[in-house]
Each structure stands twice: as C-alpha cells, then as structure tokens.
Amino acid sequence: MSDRLPTALKGVAPAGSAGRYQALTDDPQMLWRVEKADRPRFDGVSAVRITVRLNALDGKISAPCVYGDWGDGFSEESRKALTHVSGDLYTGVALSNAGSLRQLRVDPSSAPCLFEIAEFVVQPATAPSATIRRVSTPKRLIRAVILRLPAPVQHGLRDIVSTLRDPRRGLRRLSQSIGASRGPWRDAYVRSVEIARNLRSPQFAAPALAPPRREADAPKVLAFYLPQFHPFPENDRWWGKGFTEWTNVSKAAPQFTGHLQPRLPGELGFYDLRTPETLRDQAALAKIAGVDAFCFHYYWFGGHRLLERPLDAFVADETIDLPFALCWANENWTRRWDGQESDILMAQNHSPKDDIALFDDLARYIASPRYVRVDGKPLIVVYRPDILPDAAATVKRWRDRARKVGIGELFLLCTNAFGFSDYRTAGFDGLVEFPPHALAVGEITDTVQRLNPQFAGRVYDYGAVVADRVEALASREDPRRYPGVMPSWDNEARKPGAGHVFHNAAPDLFHPWVEAALDCTARLAPPQERLVFVNAWNEWGEGAYLEPDRWFGHGSAQALRTAIEARAPRLTADHPLVAASTQLARGHDAVLLVHIFYADLIPVFAKRVARLRDKADVIVTFPDHWSEAELRTLAKAIPGARLVATPNRGRDIAPFLTALKIAADQGHTIFCKIHSKKSPHMANGAQWRDTLLDALVAPEAAETALQRFTLDPRLGLLAPDSARMRLGDHAVMFNNGPAMDFLAKRLNFQHGPDSAFAAGSMFWGRVTAFKALHVLAAADYPFEPELGRIDGTLAHAFERAMGAVVLASGHGVQWDL
C-alpha cells in the first residue's frame, strides 16, 4: 500500500497548504509514480485499487478518473472512472494490460475548481501471480507507438504482424480479401449465416432429465439471478418504452473474428419475468442442473425498490420449491450499467436510518420458509461493501436488528467485487468470489483479429483463467472464502465496442472449474457451510448464464450437474448383488448386452428381456451412481443377469465395451446390444428407441437373427435397414471427424462416405467380429466427462465406427433384419 499524494503535472497549481490545488483548466492532470521501494509490492499484480479523499473547496468535482501506465504509457483504454462513495471519498480499480504498474495519471475534475486531496491510497487489488501475462519492453514501445496511430493504420499493422506470426493463415486471409470483402468480415458473415441456419457448437447439449445424485453433505450451489427481464416504469423513462435487458442482448455485434455475439436464448426464449410460467420453468431447469438456490440481486435505493416484481412473484408462488437468498446490489444505478460512471440514474442514500429500513424490508423475505439458511442463519450477500460509508457499522446494525425482531443470528457474506478482500474487518462472515472480478490472467487482446478497429475492450483466454483458478483453489486455506465460478463472460451487449470478453469459454472448460470449486469448499468448510456461487443463472447482458442458449444448448448446466454428481456415492463391484452375479455360469452362446441408464425404464427392459431368456444370457450394465433401491429393483426385475456397475462416461458405448469383454471372456459368440435411449433433445426419442427394440429383440426378430448368424459364419453385424446411416449423410460427420480418425488409427480400420453404421447404436453382432474392441478395457479410451452433448464425443465416433470395425475384421455387415 502507498499513501503518497500525487503531484501536479498539467493544468494544476499548488494553492497554499499541502494537498490543496487549483485546477486551472478543464483537463487538470496530476501524477503518481510507483517508487523503487514499492515496486516489489506491485510486481505481478494484475489490478490496483485507488482510494481518494477529494473535496471541492470552490467549484465542483466533476468526473474524476485515473489512467494507468503499465509500461507503455497512458492511453484511453487504461482510463478508469472513480466512483463516488460518499462525502469526499472516491474509489476505483485499475486493471493491468500485461505488466506491473509504473505510474498513475490522476484527473481530479473535468472542470476548473479549487480542490483538496486529503488522502491518496494505492494498493494491490489482487494477489501477485507468476501467471500474469507480461509484455517485454520492446513490445511495449511498439504497442505504445501503434496505439497513437489512426485506427485504419492500426488495423493494417495488426494484419501484418498476424501474417508474420502465421504466414499460411495470413496469406489465406489475403487471398480471401482480393476482389472481395476482407477475410475477417467474410468469416463473421458466414458464421452468422450458419447460426441463422441453426448451426450449433460441437458441445451443444441436451437437457438432463433429473437433478444430479449427490452426497448427503454435498456443497450447496447458489446461482446469482438478475430480475431485469421485464419492462418497468423507470426503465421506460430512462431508456425508452418497453426497454428490457433483451434490448441490449439482441443488438450485440461481434468485435473480432470468432467472437460469439449476439448471445441468443434457447428453449426459454426472450422471456418476460412478469409471466409466472417463466419463473417456474427457470426453477425446474435450475434444480435439474444442480442449483440449490437462486441468489436474487436485490435493488434498494433509500427506500425505493427496483426490479422487485419477479422476486415478489417468485416468493409468492408456492408451487416453486427452489430456495432463494438475496444479494444487495448496493451500487448507484448508472447510465453505463457497471457502477463506474458519473451519470447516475438512481443513487444510493446510505445512512443509519436507511440501514434499518433496508433490513426491515429484507426481513419479510427472510420470513419465507424457502429462504436460504446456513447453519440455521439467514444468508445475505452484499455486493460492494467497499462503497458503504462504514461497512462494519452497517453490519452491526443489521445483526442488532435481526436479534431485536426475532430473526436471530445472520450469515453475512460480501463479494470480492472491485478488489475487496478484508471481509473480517468489515464484520462479514465470509467472502464470495464474484468472477470475473480479480481475474486478469490470460489477456489476448493484442492477438485477436479485430472486426471493429475501434474496439476498446479487453479479451482474455477463458482456458487460461480456468487453469489459474483450478490451481488457486487447490492451495486455498481460508474456509470462509467461498469459491465463485462463471460459465462464461462477455459484456459486449452492455458496453458496445468496449466489453470484456473471456474468449473460447465452453462447457468442457467450465466443468473442471466447478469441480475444483466443489473440492475446495468440501475440503475446507464444515458440511453446513459448504457453498459455491455461480455468476450467473441469467446475466445475458454479461454473457454469464447457465440457462440454455442456441449455441451450447444446456451445455453449461450439464457441466455443473456432472461436476456435482461426480461426488455422489458409488456402487462398486464388491456390492453383494453385483458380486453374486459374477458367479453365474454361461447358459447360452448368445447374450443380451443391455445398458440401462434410466432406472424408470427397468420394467420396460425387464419385459423385453424376459421373452428371450430361453435363447440368451443377460449382462446388464448400469451407472454406478444409482441408489441401493434402484439396484435392488434391477436385480429383482431381471433375475439371473450379470450386473455390472459402470462410470457415467462414454454414454452406452463405454459400458458396452465393458460388457463385450465380459461376454468374450465367458465364451459367448453372439450378442445383441441394446440400451435405454431417451434422446431428450428429440421429440420422438422414446418412439425411436421402441422402434429399434421391436426390430431387434421382439421374439421373432431375435429368432431370425440367431438363425442368420448360425447359417453365415462370416456375418459380423446385423441390424434393420431403418437404422442404417452413411458417414456421408448430411451432418453425420460434421463434428466427428477428429474422433473418427483417432479410432481408425487406434483400431486399424478404414472409412469413407459410404461406410454404414447403425444409428442409435443397437444391433446384433458376432463377438469375434468386434475383437478389436474387447481386447482393450473401456478405461483405455479417452472418453470425455458426460456433459450431455448430442454429437461430437468419442462415443458418437464409436457409434459411427462399428460397421467399419466389423469389415476390418474380415466379417460382413447386413441391414435386412
């Protein structure tokens, strides 16, 4: 920390006693340097917090701000407005652009005035990190020069540098631009057209059908919830009739190639939170995703409420069984949405009296039986304690008031927004991480190919951020610093041309961050205090949401759900029912390899299997996260079956590989692979499953199949023609090329557009024709975590490879069952 005062630089003159100055122009400038003795404190720090006591003695303080020099001089992109807290107190957080702080330029006012600086404190807002991106001195000098050039020249120089880094890519862009529009614009246009034609990410996921299984003392997951998506009078007055958050979301535009904008909602659509069905649908989806409660942002401005209608409707609707908590969003409501601008639309009015009035309003929500309690104490979160005049005094008043009105003790948390960390001194019980605050690793702003030359935002690599967070969470020691995660972040919709973008965010990267957060709080906190916060459920304007969208579908929700379920109790091979089934002797040459993922379909498969018990043995695989009761139901419904618990990876394929190896070891020669397919992303998923089952395991179909294998020893795979698809069919290989090539090399087969496979992955087969599969265990294949993807996984490639595997073994494939 350093508390030296800045010195006059331009348009400022000393005015008598120390700390007093006369701003002579409308652009007064002062300078604060990091002294040599202070440099170790700021080395590797990605953000600094500035606190200023600034008072106008004559005239008015207007729009004070600072500019940061992180090694390449001052620039407009380094400008940070100072937020007026109260009285003469101003604060702000300046972010690094890839280096350590050298100096600050302080603009105390945008108008001439006589002013006094009583205090000027600069301190790190994040912990030092060796992973902070640094730019060498020569590169900084080059960048400083480029930033002073006209925008078109900047754009051209970036293209040249990009071409030197990757000549092939640069030449390709050049060839695209000759005689036509520039390559990046063409790429952006093509992407927009593809999305309009319903192109989806390879990680697009279907919805889950049930909440995750979890251990009894599993951490609770709370998702921050924005109650903004509906018209209300103040927004009509400030922004125009009918304005909602969707107004911003729908008009966002990509700023660089690969920039995913606009973000468009999926199955919930552009909803209106005045509609009760929307709140119920959100709660239902949240429960399935593993969210234990919504943490509503609560807006109070000296007795005036905003955005209260959805919250009140949620609380009043007794059919919604999802708990909730409140987070006081205690910033001023400003023209720019981020709490940093001086154009205030609705101001906070902090006072001891207001603290009590605010708490009394909170108390009526706390009275709800669905209100979240931590160890029996109502949970309240404060977004920005740093801008309260005296946070400790506010906290004390709340605690005293809670005891007085009979609520009892409170569990009060605050967030780390804008660099805040000292929660204990402020009287809070703990700190909630609120990403992207305090995240400044992995900046790639200078490497993206801009579509908008005037883009003044910042771009970070989401994968680098996740890696940094996973490492930090593993070494954390404070049990009251609660992990916060974000599935993505991109506030371009709210700050056009100046947003912060965490690029390449995707469900498969979000998943390990959630796992690390759950592991951290489970390791450190007692069971009743294990919490993880998600930013957010529906912050569409900031690109941070778990709700389904048109690009990833339910991918982020599935990533959260899978991470939660990974900690659930497991059934193992030594379970008495599983162990006993290993003693069963082979009774038939043929065997049914049945994978039942959905326990509610046990009766369906038990009935179908029962009709073939005189022709085939049965091996049933099931997910190891099933309950004891579900396993007992299975054992009773299909007596005499070999029972195998398998991890929930690789869909039905990894369990099939396990069962196939068991079948081979037991001497079975013919098998039928079937599974409890539901395909929740398809309207006719259940019908398709039943059609395939009828064609394969109806008694007459099974009898025919067994005769065919007996008569033709070279027959390796048999399926109905209705299941046949070709690799060359539309969209079959769109997302599966790399995984298919991996399997072809691993299993030594060839494939082409005419290679056929059984869609739905159900068929009859000869064990020796699949020898390439059962010589290795399922664990030998890199199956991805189960994130609900509808295409593009290793399991999907296996489905498409089955026919080619059989042909490579010297056997034949027939499609006339």
Side-chain angles (χ1 to χ4, degrees):
M1 182 176 72
S2 179
D3 57 1
R4 293 176 291 103
L5 298 182
T7 57
L9 177 64
K10 172 186 173 183
V12 176
S17 59
R20 292 194 174 189
Y21 301 90
Q22 180 70 51
L24 305 174
T25 69
D26 58 4
D27 186 26
Q29 300 176 11
M30 306 183 75
L31 189 66
W32 182 92
R33 297 180 185 274
V34 178
E35 293 185 337
K36 186 175 182 179
D38 289 330
R39 288 177 185 172
R41 300 175 187 173
F42 293 97
D43 187 40
V45 171
S46 61
V48 296
R49 181 181 187 78
I50 303 101
T51 304
V52 187
R53 293 282 181 182
L54 179 62
N55 185 38
L57 304 176
D58 183 20
K60 181 182 179 181
I61 299 296
S62 177
C65 64
V66 297
Y67 291 78
D69 175 5
W70 304 88
D72 55 0
F74 303 115
S75 64
E76 191 60 31
E77 70 174 8
S78 73
R79 181 183 182 275
K80 178 57 64 174
L82 294 175
T83 298
H84 183 216
V85 178
S86 63
D88 64 350
L89 181 61
Y90 293 80
T91 187
V93 175
L95 301 177
S96 168
N97 63 357
S100 297
L101 182 67
R102 304 291 183 84
Q103 56 187 351
L104 292 170
R105 192 186 98 190
V106 184
D107 292 10
S109 179
S110 61
C113 64
L114 177 66
F115 65 92
E116 179 180 45
I117 300 181
E119 181 180 51
F120 189 86
V121 178
V122 183
Q123 56 188 339
T126 61
S129 172
T131 62
I132 297 298
R133 175 173 170 263
R134 301 168 188 270
V135 176
S136 65
T137 300
K139 287 184 178 179
R140 287 186 171 281
L141 293 175
I142 293 172
R143 186 164 68 176
V145 171
I146 291 176
L147 288 173
R148 287 164 173 77
L149 296 174
V153 178
Q154 290 186 37
H155 192 85
L157 287 174
R158 285 194 179 95
D159 281 352
I160 293 172
V161 172
S162 178
T163 300
L164 291 174
R165 286 175 175 167
D166 187 347
R168 184 176 299 176
R169 181 183 176 193
L171 291 173
R172 184 168 65 250
R173 283 202 312 272
L174 179 62
S175 66
Q176 290 175 339
S177 66
I178 295 176
S181 61
R182 294 180 58 86
W185 289 101
R186 174 181 169 80
D187 292 345
Y189 171 75
V190 169
R191 183 184 180 91
S192 297
V193 171
E194 288 174 336
I195 292 176
R197 296 175 62 186
N198 208 31
L199 175 71
R200 299 181 291 202
S201 165
Q203 296 194 44
F204 185 94
L209 298 179
R213 315 293 179 103
R214 59 208 312 174
E215 56 193 344
D217 57 355
K220 301 298 183 185
V221 176
L222 290 84
F224 288 104
Y225 182 103
L226 179 67
Q228 163 67 273
F229 301 89
H230 65 291
F232 57 95
E234 290 85 355
N235 261 357
D236 286 347
R237 186 166 65 251
W238 295 331
W239 307 97
K241 186 71 172 177
F243 175 91
T244 74
E245 185 80 339
W246 296 123
T247 309
N248 288 331
V249 171
S250 60
K251 65 182 177 62
Q255 301 296 302
F256 51 88
T257 55
H259 186 195
L260 185 59
Q261 284 290 359
R263 304 284 187 125
L264 301 175
E267 64 189 59
L268 293 177
F270 294 96
Y271 52 73
D272 186 330
L273 289 182
R274 296 173 299 182
T275 306
E277 290 79 7
T278 295
L279 297 171
R280 295 170 194 153
D281 290 344
Q282 288 177 316
L285 286 175
K287 291 184 68 175
I288 289 175
V291 173
D292 294 287
F294 284 152
C295 190
F296 281 83
H297 289 301
Y298 168 90
Y299 296 87
W300 167 280
F301 302 89
H304 187 90
R305 292 285 307 282
L306 291 179
L307 308 184
E308 74 282 358
R309 182 170 175 175
L311 171 59
D312 290 345
F314 185 93
V315 175
D317 191 338
E318 297 180 356
T319 67
I320 299 175
D321 60 356
L322 186 73
F324 71 99
L326 298 179
C327 172
W328 180 27
N330 62 311
E331 291 182 315
N332 293 326
W333 192 293
T334 67
R335 179 69 61 179
R336 288 293 299 274
W337 294 92
D338 59 1
Q340 286 289 311
E341 305 300 324
S342 58
D343 190 357
I344 297 173
L345 301 173
M346 184 73 71
Q348 295 289 344
N349 183 22
H350 302 299
S351 69
K353 182 178 179 181
D354 187 62
D355 286 345
I356 299 301
L358 187 157
F359 184 82
D360 286 346
D361 193 63
L362 293 174
R364 63 191 179 94
Y365 296 104
I366 293 173
S368 170
R370 285 187 285 138
Y371 196 85
V372 173
R373 283 167 168 74
V374 178
D375 196 21
K377 306 169 187 175
L379 168 66
I380 301 174
V381 182
V382 176
Y383 177 53
R384 291 197 63 182
D386 61 306
I387 59 175
L388 294 173
D390 187 342
T394 295
V395 166
K396 185 178 185 304
R397 292 185 193 104
W398 283 7
R399 294 191 190 279
D400 290 343
R401 186 66 173 175
R403 297 185 190 105
K404 183 176 180 180
V405 299
I407 291 175
E409 299 304 316
L410 302 174
F411 197 76
L412 297 178
L413 303 179
C414 59
T415 80
N416 70 337
F418 297 92
F420 185 83
S421 61
D422 191 7
Y423 67 89
R424 290 186 178 89
T425 300
F428 290 92
D429 296 306
L431 187 76
V432 176
E433 291 180 330
F434 200 86
H437 289 278
L439 302 181
V441 299
E443 185 172 0
I444 56 173
T445 307
D446 291 343
T447 67
V448 299
Q449 190 172 25
R450 303 188 184 203
L451 299 172
N452 174 13
Q454 282 76 44
F455 174 62
R458 291 190 176 187
V459 186
Y460 300 89
D461 178 40
Y462 182 82
V465 169
V466 170
D468 178 75
R469 289 294 84 204
V470 169
E471 181 180 351
L473 289 166
S475 60
R476 178 165 299 168
E477 297 179 355
D478 184 356
R480 290 293 183 88
R481 185 181 178 99
Y482 292 104
V485 298
M486 63 180 189
S488 53
W489 175 275
D490 180 356
N491 64 346
E492 168 62 29
R494 287 186 173 177
K495 304 185 72 173
H500 285 202
V501 182
F502 286 77
H503 193 39
N504 296 320
D508 65 342
L509 295 175
F510 178 50
H511 176 254
W513 192 357
V514 176
E515 285 190 314
L518 293 168
D519 289 343
C520 176
T521 193
R523 172 174 57 87
L524 295 175
Q528 67 275 16
E529 295 182 6
R530 294 174 180 171
L531 304 174
V532 170
F533 289 81
V534 182
N535 187 27
W537 174 256
N538 64 338
E539 281 279 9
W540 286 89
E542 295 175 343
Y545 49 85
L546 288 172
E547 289 182 329
D549 70 4
R550 287 181 57 184
W551 183 242
F552 287 119
H554 293 257
S556 295
Q558 286 273 20
L560 173 66
R561 184 186 182 280
T562 299
I564 293 170
E565 193 162 77
R567 306 178 59 84
R570 291 292 187 263
L571 295 169
T572 61
D574 58 1
H575 187 282
L577 291 175
V578 175
S581 74
T582 64
Q583 306 304 312
L584 297 170
R586 179 172 66 88
H588 300 87
D589 288 340
V591 61
L592 303 178
L593 305 183
V594 185
H595 180 60
I596 304 180
F597 178 80
Y598 299 105
D600 61 307
L601 292 180
I602 291 174
V604 173
F605 279 79
K607 183 177 180 180
R608 289 186 177 273
V609 166
R611 293 183 292 182
L612 302 181
R613 294 305 294 270
D614 62 334
K615 298 179 178 65
D617 293 338
V618 183
I619 300 175
V620 180
T621 53
F622 61 92
D624 60 5
H625 63 240
W626 268 14
S627 68
E628 177 79 17
E630 288 167 330
L631 174 55
R632 291 191 179 280
T633 299
L634 173 64
K636 183 177 180 180
I638 310 180
R642 173 73 182 268
L643 306 179
V644 185
T646 59
N648 184 27
R649 282 204 179 203
R651 297 292 171 88
D652 59 289
I653 298 296
F656 164 63
L657 299 180
T658 299
L660 181 63
K661 185 171 179 59
I662 294 172
D665 292 343
Q666 290 183 341
H668 292 289
T669 60
I670 307 299
F671 68 86
C672 181
K673 177 190 180 303
I674 57 177
H675 63 102
S676 62
K677 188 177 186 68
K678 281 194 175 181
S679 302
H681 62 289
M682 299 174 59
N684 63 341
Q687 179 182 351
W688 183 26
R689 177 195 68 232
D690 292 340
T691 299
L692 292 174
L693 291 174
D694 287 340
L696 292 167
V697 294
E700 59 278 11
E703 182 67 32
T704 299
L706 291 171
Q707 290 176 0
R708 296 278 297 276
F709 278 96
T710 300
L711 295 173
D712 184 356
R714 303 311 302 165
L715 179 59
L717 185 152
L718 178 64
D721 188 64
S722 60
R724 178 169 56 172
M725 292 190 70
R726 299 165 54 258
L727 298 188
D729 291 344
H730 176 67
V732 166
M733 291 298 293
F734 193 82
N735 295 316
N736 297 291
M740 193 69 165
D741 292 341
F742 165 80
L743 289 179
K745 184 176 181 180
R746 184 80 173 264
L747 301 175
N748 194 28
F749 66 81
Q750 296 181 342
H751 62 91
D754 290 328
S755 298
F757 67 98
S761 191
M762 299 193 210
F763 50 84
W764 283 89
R766 189 180 300 275
V767 172
T768 54
F770 290 82
K771 184 177 180 179
L773 300 186
H774 61 73
V775 295
L776 294 176
D780 295 325
Y781 292 96
F783 288 105
E784 307 89 343
E786 180 50 64
L787 304 183
R789 291 167 60 176
I790 65 170
D791 198 15
T793 68
L794 186 60
H796 289 98
F798 260 111
E799 175 191 34
R800 287 152 175 77
M802 294 300 181
V805 167
V806 170
L807 293 176
S809 74
H811 291 80
V813 177
Q814 296 184 14
W815 302 97
D816 56 353
L817 179 60

